[in-house]
Amino acid sequence: MTPAARERPHTALELLFGPAEDASKALTHQILSGGAGQNLGRALEHLPKVTREAAVREATTAAAGLLQVDLIGVLVAGWREHRDITSAARRTLAAPGSTELVSLATHQVTMDQQPSVGVLVDGHRVATLQFRLSVDFDVSALVAGISAGRLVAIHSGRCDVTATLAVQGTDVLTRQARLELPGVIPLRPGVRLLPDRDYPAGGNLPPSSASVPWWQRSAPTG
């Protein structure tokens, strides 16, 4: 992975643990440490080694999936509550072909999730791992491009993002990164900013497209 890519983590998992090839091992360590490790270790101590290893591996895989939270997606979800953004979305939806640039003053967007992973052996739950993921964004000097009721571009700006992971009620890891946005990141075909019912039926952007990671929607540059 290039240095530039490291500066712009795509998901909470990548922000907390780094590149995918390192994340699994690091997450396993956190699961087997502290309260989580005691909980899981006691639950698995009487099982054969191969079963214990398989259970830990599956728990890690499930936990990693829960942490695959698209950072830009969280940011956009927060903007759906921003009055200037939603107003521009409604105006551009009512005026086909129009585009508006909305300057966003310094603001914060937060997300807090508390997922859990049940560990089952032979169909019986032997342990439950409780996680808490908090993501905080401090956004400065950012401009959003809006057309047809959709976010279609993020212009130059800066965003400091902090992710904190707790396991079994104890904070185990906090990481911070600065997302510099030099130039324009196009989001094609765009991310809906209004409720689905506000868009014409049969449009060319299905509701589910907003869940597609932003780096897969972005058009190539250069």
Side-chain angles (χ1 to χ4, degrees):
M1 181 174 289
T2 64
R6 288 181 183 273
E7 294 174 2
R8 190 184 294 168
H10 296 156
T11 67
L13 180 68
E14 186 178 335
L15 173 57
L16 286 165
F17 295 107
E21 57 267 25
D22 301 329
S24 180
K25 182 178 180 179
L27 182 54
T28 298
H29 172 74
Q30 294 297 341
I31 289 176
L32 294 178
S33 300
Q38 296 172 14
N39 180 17
L40 190 58
R42 286 196 303 269
L44 303 178
E45 60 185 354
H46 299 301
L47 298 174
K49 179 180 178 181
V50 65
T51 303
R52 294 198 305 269
E53 292 176 346
V56 171
R57 186 167 57 251
E58 291 302 317
T60 299
T61 299
L66 295 172
L67 298 179
Q68 288 283 9
V69 176
D70 175 12
L71 294 177
I72 295 297
V74 173
L75 196 55
V76 171
W79 288 342
R80 291 192 178 104
E81 305 299 323
H82 195 289
R83 185 173 59 183
D84 291 344
I85 289 284
T86 55
S87 295
R90 294 191 185 282
R91 288 193 297 268
T92 60
L93 187 61
S98 64
T99 299
E100 291 194 22
L101 298 179
V102 179
S103 179
L104 298 175
T106 298
H107 64 284
Q108 293 183 324
V109 173
T110 63
M111 184 210 74
D112 190 276
Q113 294 183 350
Q114 299 185 50
S116 63
V117 173
V119 181
L120 281 71
V121 176
D122 294 331
H124 300 284
R125 184 183 295 267
V126 298
T128 299
L129 303 180
Q130 300 286 348
F131 297 90
R132 180 175 181 176
L133 173 65
S134 300
V135 183
D136 299 296
F137 299 86
D138 288 306
V139 184
S140 303
L142 188 144
V143 176
I146 300 172
S147 180
R150 304 176 177 107
L151 178 70
V152 295
I154 299 175
H155 294 255
S156 298
R158 187 179 73 247
C159 175
D160 292 320
V161 55
T162 303
T164 300
L165 176 67
V167 182
Q168 303 298 81
T170 300
D171 289 350
V172 297
L173 190 62
T174 297
R175 291 285 186 270
Q176 186 175 56
R178 171 162 290 181
L179 308 183
E180 296 284 359
L181 304 173
V184 180
I185 298 177
L187 303 175
R188 298 178 180 173
V191 182
R192 288 184 174 182
L193 296 165
L194 302 172
D196 290 339
R197 64 178 179 272
D198 292 345
Y199 294 86
N204 60 4
L205 181 63
S208 60
S209 66
S211 64
V212 178
W214 69 273
W215 63 91
Q216 293 181 9
R217 291 194 299 263
S218 299
T221 59

